[in-house]
Amino acid sequence: MANTETALKEATTIDGAIGAALVDYTSGMALGTIGGGKELDLNVAAAGNTDVVRAKVRAMEMLGLDDEIEDILITLGKHYHLIRLLKGRGTNGLFLYLALDKSRANLAMARHQLKKIETELDV
């Protein structure tokens, strides 16, 4: 089992990774971040993407959808932003956030690797 720091370091090995964060979407706080820098403030991204997750959860409730969110993809001109809601023991209300450089990333592989990181994460 990987801890938060190890999981985030592994996320930055994904081709095209700019930065990653583990986020508590009940509070909007990043529990851990790696990367980002001038190009991307991960604490601001954590708070902003918390609103995205909350909005999608509300929409699903209003629609009466009996399902779970695996991940949310936001495609920008130069980036992919992946939000992966965690489902393991003790991870309720948490998501992994990964920002990727679109020109260097393989989206399918990034999703696959992020799912693998989720299964190994022990919070």
Side-chain angles (χ1 to χ4, degrees):
M1 289 292 178
N3 64 18
T4 299
E5 183 180 347
T6 303
L8 292 176
K9 283 181 181 175
E10 189 173 340
T12 62
T13 67
I14 296 172
D15 287 343
I18 297 168
L22 177 65
V23 183
D24 175 349
Y25 69 82
T26 58
S27 69
M29 298 294 295
L31 305 177
T33 63
I34 190 167
K38 289 182 181 180
E39 187 175 356
L40 181 67
D41 183 329
L42 290 169
N43 289 307
V44 173
N49 285 306
T50 291
D51 291 338
V52 171
V53 171
R54 288 177 184 163
K56 187 58 190 173
V57 168
R58 275 193 313 273
M60 288 178 63
E61 288 171 356
M62 289 188 302
L63 292 167
L65 298 177
D66 184 25
D67 210 344
E68 294 180 340
I69 299 169
E70 285 186 19
D71 55 35
I72 298 169
L73 168 64
I74 300 167
T75 305
L76 304 177
K78 297 179 183 177
H79 298 156
Y80 292 125
H81 292 229
L82 276 172
I83 300 167
R84 177 134 190 116
L85 276 69
L86 304 183
K87 296 174 187 64
R89 182 177 52 91
T91 61
N92 192 30
L94 301 179
F95 67 84
L96 281 168
Y97 166 71
L98 177 65
L100 299 160
D101 178 322
K102 198 172 174 180
S103 68
R104 298 183 299 123
N106 177 322
L107 185 55
M109 283 302 297
R111 289 183 69 222
H112 175 74
Q113 289 172 291
L114 204 56
K115 183 177 182 177
K116 180 179 178 289
I117 291 167
E118 174 195 3
T119 63
E120 297 171 352
L121 179 62
D122 185 25
V123 181

